[in-house]
Amino acid sequence: MISFQPSPEERELRQLAREFAQSRLRPHARAAERAGRPPEALAQESRELGLGGVALPEGWGGAGLSQVAACLVEEELAWGDPGLAVALGLREAALAFVADLLGEAPAGGPWEGPGVLLWPQVPDDPLAGSGITWTTQLQAAPQGERLSGSIGAAPGAQEAAWFLIPAARGERVVLLRLEGTAPGVERRPLRRPLGLAAAGWAEVALDGVAVGPGAVVWEGTVRDPAWVRARERARLRVAAQLVGTARAALEYATQYAAQRQAFGQPIAQFQGISFMVAEMAMAVEAARNLVWYGAWRLDRGALPAGGAQALLHARGAALEVADRAVQVLGGHGYMADHPVEKWLRDARALGVAVWPETALEVEAASELGLAPGWVAGGAAGPGPVEGGAA
Amino acid sequence: MIDFELTETQRAVRDFLHWVAEHEIRPVALQADEEGDVPLELLRRLKELGVTLDTLPGGGASGGDGEAPEHQRNRLAVLAAEELAWGDAAVAISLPGAGLGGPPVQLMGTPEQKERFLGIFRDPEPRWGAYALTEPEAGSDVAAIRTTCRKEGDHWVLNGTKLFITNGARASWNVVFATIDPALGRAGHRVFVVERGTPGFTVGRIMEKMGLRASETAELIFDECRVPAENLLGGEERYRQGEGFRTAMQTFDGTRPMVAAMAVGIGRAAYEYTRDRLREELTLSRPIPRYGVIAERLSWMERELHAARLLVWQAASMADQRIPNSKEASMAKAYAGTVATRVCAAAVELLGAVGLRHDRWVEKWFRDIKVFDIFEGTGQVQRLVVARRLFEPYGLRV
Ligand SMILES: Cc1cc2nc3c(=O)[nH]c(=O)nc-3n(C[C@H](O)[C@H](O)[C@H](O)COP(=O)(O)OP(=O)(O)OC[C@H]3O[C@@H](n4cnc5c(N)ncnc54)[C@H](O)[C@@H]3O)c2cc1C
């Protein structure tokens, strides 16, 4: 059955997230941006509600619901404030990644306290297309291995107690768990990032960090189904956040256009404005549908699930919609008095440090069998498994 | 004659200002952005070097006096604007001088007024003029301004609020548009030069903005502000046929290509930075699919900026040749504003983590560029101007 209606339980969950976003995230957005972190009371509330871990297995402290439900919630939270949505979900996003790799039961912990998944992607990328080689390398040393490398900018890295960090061990990828205080881990807070400042950005440098066997959480290749699943889930989360950001901008601009007067009428009555708003609305709906479709596939075990496609589309849509929202407000849109300028910065920042569009495009192409064979393997993972046409 | 060769003067101006942009402006720009202010020492230094956007623009606007034989004033202005904005747009629009306030004084002022208001810029200390038209409830719709003026003896009394006024707080004087009666629309407009310290004139908020943070954007409040009658630009005679409104519009005609050129300058800065960094980090000649996509993006950025620049040059060269150019000026502004915004967004994306960092420039250019699709006439207003010119021959007013 084709249906775009959330179930009653999903609706209820979405309503809960919407109310939290409206009453708690919106009012704190600007202050959290300036402070570079969410207020502690808000973080506490958010933990209690558990909205960041909707799809996280119960064994990991999540609600164990579907990715579709998680995307519904994530959209609402980002609608409230993209920076706070990212900041408050960092730990759960990291746990979700491990859970996909390890399964139901926690292992390799402890996983308490603030933690974050770092994504030390190398710009010069031999597999190019898969987007997966790492600036972090494991090297054999007299007593065990050592990890070196750097991450240019990562949200949440400022205050994390532990890092989850992929590294190359030859051809294979190893996911490591490091203490934030481990010798050789250096973080430099990044002031004034373009967007999502509430998430507390830092540059992380790893200089010969000793890696004991206990630090290895998982080892495999980027083609392993578990890795592809974790990656797709992470992408869908960001894509849903982009949709939420875009919807916030759309709604704000729509209301403004209905009220703002110029030349004796509401500016919505100029087609230059109303057509623009209509385009924005279409972009939001289309992007959301692709996110839902990807989430639905992921829930049915299809890999890859369409995360590249959903993320690419949502990113383009969010940028365009937020840019146009600023445009609809004219000079007022450029001022910090209104949230649209912030949403434009946040929309541009979401996911940009992690997944280059150019890599996603090649990957999406290779999923369609349109890239050279020697790229496709790394890009596509094991290929569609089941459920829905690609 | 179709020719894209720069004259010697043009090349010299461009090269000198590029040097200034690179060696004087860039080293200060990031900090200025953080602090929300351009250091006075830099502005002093630039004034010493003779760097200004003032005397350059608006061939028509500045009258027949002292023109170069080749009438290349507008082309020089856009070349200058692109280089200075490549250095930093917020610094460029903070340069000492009459700014947007210059053209109306030049166009409408009596000889006595020109001397009194423009003479101050001969002072070696930095001084500013500013242009105060926009109000909280009137931006694109200029005719809807609500700041009122009424004559009382040898003074005019102004009441109202102006918003988003560039350099409005630091200016020695603001050109202020007011109306004797809102019901009269354009015919009711009067244009004043309001000097700092005039009783009843205060500066309200300095706005916090997405970008151009080092540029001062002020709110100006007029509360029973008493302006001497001799500060009415051009004297009362001038206002018989809606002269005030025409002045507001003429100012824009002269400055749109310059603003468009600044957008190109910012876009070019972002493109060059991105290209150089990616070239350094990646071996783009390798046959890797992603590199093909990156190369396509970069060449698209360059192409769009080049197209925008040629539209800017076209509008400017028409102005120099006294060919009506309002369609071309609006095209240049709309095109440059749109594509440069996209270019800066693509630059952030291509650089990934680096693109988000304040100390790596492109995040700043992404914030700065957006306003170039808004001020000096929004993108929509420019498209309206273009459309009007296109449909005029059909007897249609769109
Ligand atoms: C950084 C900055 C510096 C500035 N400096 C100055 C200055 O020095 N002096 C000064 O006087 N002003 C200045 N401005 C103001 C600027 O010129 C106005 O913001 C601009 O004219 C738009 O007006 P508005 O903001 O009121 O938008 P509005 O006019 O309210 O426009 C809102 C939206 O409606 C659209 N719209 C309006 N009319 C139509 C129509 N007929 N058809 C289709 N769409 C339409 C607009 O394009 C826009 O998208 C500055 C603004 C900024 C942001």
Side-chain angles (χ1 to χ4, degrees):
Chain A
M1 181 190 67
I2 294 172
S3 164
F4 291 77
Q5 305 312 313
S7 70
E9 301 79 55
E10 287 166 341
R11 226 184 287 257
E12 221 169 277
L13 186 65
R14 183 174 66 179
Q15 191 54 32
L16 180 72
R18 190 168 288 182
E19 277 160 21
F20 181 66
Q22 169 87 56
S23 66
R24 307 299 294 139
L25 300 187
R26 280 273 165 104
H28 284 107
R30 283 286 182 186
E33 176 178 47
R34 270 189 294 272
R37 64 155 69 91
E40 188 40 50
L42 190 63
Q44 181 64 31
E45 248 177 281
S46 161
R47 278 193 292 275
E48 279 159 17
L49 273 176
L51 291 172
V54 171
L56 191 64
E58 286 172 78
W60 287 86
L65 299 176
S66 67
Q67 187 57 34
V68 168
C71 285
L72 290 172
V73 166
E74 219 49 63
E75 174 182 334
E76 296 307 320
L77 298 178
W79 175 91
D81 180 61
L84 284 170
V86 169
L88 297 172
L90 284 165
R91 178 170 176 274
E92 284 78 7
L95 292 184
F97 203 87
V98 208
D100 270 322
L101 296 178
L102 301 183
E104 287 289 327
W111 301 108
E112 282 84 50
V116 61
L117 170 66
L118 299 179
W119 202 260
Q121 194 157 285
V122 73
D124 193 2
D125 170 355
L127 285 175
S130 75
I132 306 291
T133 44
W134 313 101
T135 46
T136 41
Q137 304 283 334
L138 271 176
Q139 252 121 26
Q143 287 99 23
E145 288 172 305
R146 291 191 175 269
L147 180 68
S148 293
S150 69
I151 297 98
Q158 242 176 62
E159 306 216 338
W162 49 266
F163 294 119
L164 208 51
I165 181 165
R169 181 188 267 161
E171 292 281 282
R172 295 169 73 76
V173 54
V174 183
L175 192 70
L176 302 165
R177 185 195 168 287
L178 295 180
E179 294 293 328
T181 51
V185 176
E186 198 198 327
R187 39 187 148 176
R188 284 183 284 274
L190 290 179
R191 293 179 315 118
R192 302 168 165 265
L194 173 60
L196 310 171
W201 292 69
E203 177 180 8
V204 182
L206 306 162
D207 185 15
V209 183
V211 173
V216 176
V217 175
W218 183 86
E219 176 170 0
T221 77
V222 295
R223 286 158 196 138
D224 290 349
W227 182 276
V228 176
R229 190 180 330 119
R231 185 199 71 191
E232 294 292 85
R233 198 183 303 285
R235 284 177 180 172
L236 288 166
R237 181 188 201 90
V238 177
Q241 289 168 341
L242 283 160
V243 171
T245 310
R247 195 186 97 220
L250 165 68
E251 289 176 5
Y252 200 91
T254 309
Q255 191 183 1
Y256 189 88
Q259 287 163 358
R260 175 76 175 175
Q261 301 273 327
F263 304 97
Q265 56 185 26
I267 57 171
Q269 283 182 326
F270 299 115
Q271 287 183 344
I273 294 292
S274 62
F275 281 19
M276 197 152 68
V277 174
E279 300 275 355
M280 291 158 70
M282 288 190 267
V284 171
E285 294 294 322
R288 181 191 295 117
N289 287 343
L290 285 174
V291 171
W292 284 0
Y293 183 70
W296 172 81
R297 274 171 58 89
L298 190 72
D299 286 336
R300 296 177 55 130
L303 290 175
Q309 197 184 46
L311 181 55
L312 266 175
H313 205 82
R315 206 189 262 187
L319 179 69
E320 188 72 15
V321 170
D323 178 83
R324 288 174 158 193
V326 171
Q327 192 67 30
V328 167
L329 269 72
H332 297 267
Y334 200 61
M335 304 294 148
D337 293 355
H338 295 273
V340 285
E341 67 84 23
K342 179 177 185 298
W343 290 332
L344 174 54
R345 291 183 288 107
D346 290 341
R348 179 69 300 183
L350 269 167
V352 148
V354 176
W355 288 295
E357 218 162 272
T358 47
L360 289 172
E361 268 171 30
V362 174
E363 197 174 310
S366 74
E367 284 176 22
L368 298 173
L370 299 172
W374 53 271
V375 180
V385 178
E386 63 196 53
Chain B
M1 183 183 67
I2 292 167
D3 187 4
F4 298 107
E5 193 74 39
L6 269 56
T7 64
E8 227 166 90
T9 317
Q10 288 163 1
R11 203 169 311 138
V13 165
R14 187 195 59 185
D15 293 351
F16 169 64
L17 291 177
H18 186 75
W19 183 89
V20 169
E22 187 172 356
H23 298 284
E24 299 284 343
I25 297 178
R26 279 276 178 102
V28 187
L30 284 180
Q31 204 186 340
D33 179 71
E34 270 185 44
E35 288 169 5
D37 197 15
V38 183
L40 197 57
E41 311 89 82
L42 174 66
L43 296 172
R44 276 212 188 95
R45 166 101 182 115
L46 293 174
K47 187 166 165 118
E48 258 168 47
L49 288 169
V51 177
T52 173
L53 284 173
D54 251 15
T55 54
L56 299 167
S62 35
D65 44 302
E67 277 197 31
E70 304 137 88
H71 304 292
Q72 49 182 313
R73 195 168 283 195
N74 285 281
R75 276 160 295 171
L76 285 172
V78 296
L79 291 168
E82 179 178 335
E83 293 314 317
L84 290 170
W86 180 93
D88 185 64
V91 171
I93 65 171
S94 302
L95 285 174
L100 286 176
V105 175
Q106 285 280 8
L107 275 169
M108 298 180 69
T110 63
E112 181 271 332
Q113 287 173 329
K114 286 189 205 180
E115 175 51 33
R116 189 149 62 94
F117 300 124
L118 300 177
I120 62 168
F121 301 110
R122 289 195 291 267
D123 189 327
E125 265 302 284
R127 302 228 184 287
W128 292 266
Y131 179 90
L133 176 61
T134 304
E135 299 181 0
E137 300 300 328
S140 305
D141 185 4
V142 172
I145 57 167
R146 289 290 172 272
T147 296
T148 57
C149 56
R150 62 169 199 274
K151 187 92 186 273
E152 270 184 16
D154 55 359
H155 279 75
W156 287 84
V157 181
L158 271 59
N159 279 291
T161 301
K162 296 290 176 183
L163 197 60
F164 307 155
I165 309 308
T166 302
N167 298 324
R170 57 156 67 112
S172 301
W173 48 256
N174 272 275
V175 169
V176 179
F177 291 74
T179 174
I180 50 171
D181 178 1
L184 291 178
R186 300 160 182 200
H189 288 195
R190 297 292 179 272
V191 189
F192 301 91
V193 177
V194 179
E195 291 162 280
R196 198 169 41 205
T198 304
F201 165 42
T202 50
V203 173
R205 291 198 300 155
I206 303 296
M207 310 301 289
E208 205 182 304
K209 309 189 291 298
M210 176 182 184
L212 292 188
R213 287 182 181 162
S215 162
E216 176 186 277
T217 308
E219 179 189 34
L220 309 180
I221 297 161
F222 304 91
D223 179 13
E224 291 293 299
C225 171
R226 293 177 62 81
V227 180
E230 61 265 26
N231 285 23
L232 177 68
L233 265 186
E236 266 174 77
E237 270 309 297
R238 271 200 86 106
Y239 294 90
R240 293 284 134 86
Q241 294 101 20
E243 193 71 35
F245 184 78
R246 253 209 303 285
T247 305
M249 293 297 100
Q250 269 174 17
T251 300
F252 290 136
D253 275 355
T255 50
R256 276 172 185 165
M258 265 177 75
V259 173
M262 285 192 195
V264 173
I266 298 174
R268 190 184 110 211
Y271 159 70
E272 288 176 359
Y273 187 93
T274 308
R275 177 200 60 196
D276 293 348
R277 243 197 114 101
L278 290 175
R279 258 198 195 145
E280 228 169 77
E281 285 171 1
L282 314 177
T283 315
L284 288 172
S285 60
R286 287 160 65 205
I288 289 174
R290 179 156 90 86
Y291 292 1
V293 186
I294 291 175
E296 184 275 334
R297 288 286 148 85
L298 287 168
S299 72
W300 163 81
M301 289 160 85
E302 198 280 337
R303 184 171 73 246
E304 286 289 21
L305 292 171
H306 187 51
R309 180 183 300 111
L310 291 180
L311 286 173
V312 170
W313 285 6
Q314 182 183 9
S317 95
M318 287 172 75
D320 282 339
Q321 292 166 29
R322 318 265 154 159
I323 302 168
N325 76 338
S326 76
K327 180 181 80 192
E328 288 74 14
S330 282
M331 279 186 172
K333 166 76 169 58
Y335 197 90
T338 302
V339 302
T341 301
R342 292 197 181 134
V343 162
C344 290
V348 170
E349 206 287 323
L350 283 169
L351 292 177
V354 166
L356 303 178
R357 291 178 57 150
H358 178 66
D359 55 355
R360 298 292 189 274
W361 293 100
V362 292
E363 78 84 27
K364 176 180 166 345
W365 291 321
F366 176 77
R367 288 185 291 102
D368 287 348
I369 193 64
K370 181 58 200 164
V371 76
F372 286 80
D373 220 357
I374 296 171
F375 62 7
E376 297 284 311
T378 64
Q380 289 63 45
V381 167
Q382 309 299 346
R383 284 162 177 85
L384 210 55
V385 173
V386 173
R388 286 208 172 128
R389 294 283 174 275
L390 292 174
F391 288 104
E392 238 165 27
Y394 299 88
L396 288 173
R397 178 163 169 89
V398 294

